Amino acid sequence: MTTVMEALPARPRKASASRRRRHQHQLAWRLHQIAPGAATILLTPIWTDATGATERTYLARALGRDGQIIKFQAGGSRRIAALLQGAYPQADWNRPQTWTAATNTVTVRRPMSNADMRDAIQRMELRAAGLEAELAFERERNHELTTARDFADSVAAGYIDRTGLEGP
């Protein structure tokens, strides 16, 4: 039995200008078929050597308007990479790229500076504190509801001795 290995091109496919314009025009629709509601798609090249030879694959992450991650089916990263490379062959695909739905453009993702990282950490710490406060509130509410339910169940079963509690 012969194993058939899938051949992946070393460079993105080249296309005529008219075909590239058509790819770019249909790109948003095609990407939304894979990741519905995506406002931005981050595409990052990853080099692996699982078979001995270094191979480049892509990891795609789709984000909605609210910044939430949009999940898509297996193989979606490869399909997204093929669509973006077909529409934008001039982009440097050895660097992370960001596709924006509002402008239908691909831009190089710039690395974060130390100030950006400090700002992001500060925002995350504030968010974590808010979530911890919300969790504490919900735990307290759950305890109150559980206590009230247990009390009501005890009253209904007649386990609470009301002698001396009720007025004369």
Side-chain angles (χ1 to χ4, degrees):
M1 181 175 191
T2 305
T3 304
V4 177
M5 305 249 335
E6 183 177 355
L8 298 174
R11 295 187 200 104
R13 66 181 184 267
K14 301 285 184 184
S16 66
S18 63
R19 183 167 296 267
R20 197 167 45 253
R21 281 191 300 272
R22 189 181 76 182
H23 282 307
Q24 288 176 357
H25 180 70
Q26 296 174 347
L27 185 62
W29 180 82
R30 290 180 179 177
L31 290 174
H32 285 290
Q33 295 298 309
I34 301 168
T40 58
I41 295 179
L42 311 172
L43 190 68
T44 306
I46 300 173
W47 285 267
T48 60
D49 60 353
T51 60
T54 302
E55 175 183 10
R56 181 178 60 186
T57 58
Y58 292 92
L59 174 68
R61 176 184 283 172
L63 302 173
R65 293 196 194 316
D66 56 357
Q68 296 294 322
I69 295 174
I70 297 173
K71 295 184 179 184
F72 43 84
Q73 294 181 354
S77 291
R78 182 177 289 215
R79 291 174 43 212
I80 288 171
L83 287 171
L84 289 173
Q85 287 176 347
Y88 300 100
Q90 72 280 5
D92 181 9
W93 294 105
N94 291 319
R95 298 181 62 196
Q97 302 284 338
T98 302
W99 175 79
T100 308
T103 58
N104 195 21
T105 57
V106 171
T107 55
V108 174
R109 195 163 167 218
R110 70 174 177 85
M112 293 180 78
S113 67
N114 287 341
D116 291 338
M117 287 188 195
R118 279 192 299 273
D119 185 47
I121 289 170
Q122 191 175 31
R123 282 195 319 266
M124 295 305 284
E125 287 173 349
L126 289 173
R127 176 85 171 125
L131 289 173
E132 286 174 4
E134 188 177 325
L135 181 62
F137 173 78
E138 291 299 327
R139 281 185 180 151
E140 182 65 28
R141 183 170 172 250
N142 184 40
H143 178 69
E144 290 172 2
L145 292 174
T146 303
T147 304
R149 185 178 59 240
D150 290 346
F151 183 76
D153 291 344
S154 297
V155 169
Y159 294 136
I160 297 179
D161 182 16
R162 293 188 173 261
T163 57
L165 297 177
E166 297 175 1

